[in-house]
Amino acid sequence: MNLVERVKAPTPKFFRVLRTIGLSLVAASGVLLTAPVALPAAVITLAGYLTVAGTVMSAVSQTAVQDPEEPAADDGSAP
């Protein structure tokens, strides 16, 4: 399975939630980094780390794929 097929394949629910959290972290850190007011250096540094963490979390979550032999358990029940 190449990268394009992997990204286009169905993503399990847990990783969809992680992807959403990662994208939210990136958005929040982007707001902090582009704030029109002067912020303390610690806040800017934290925003940079949140950007990296959110980007990695979203990228890894996007490449997780549903096993084709297992049925999708989107209702939260364990097999």
Side-chain angles (χ1 to χ4, degrees), residues 10-60:
T11 304
K13 182 177 181 179
F14 174 74
F15 288 103
R16 287 191 305 239
V17 171
L18 280 182
R19 182 181 59 204
T20 304
I21 292 170
L23 291 174
S24 299
L25 285 175
V26 171
S29 65
V31 168
L32 289 175
L33 288 171
T34 60
V37 296
L39 295 173
V43 173
I44 299 299
T45 303
L46 178 67
Y49 289 138
L50 286 177
T51 302
V52 172
T55 302
V56 170
M57 186 184 304
S58 297
V60 169

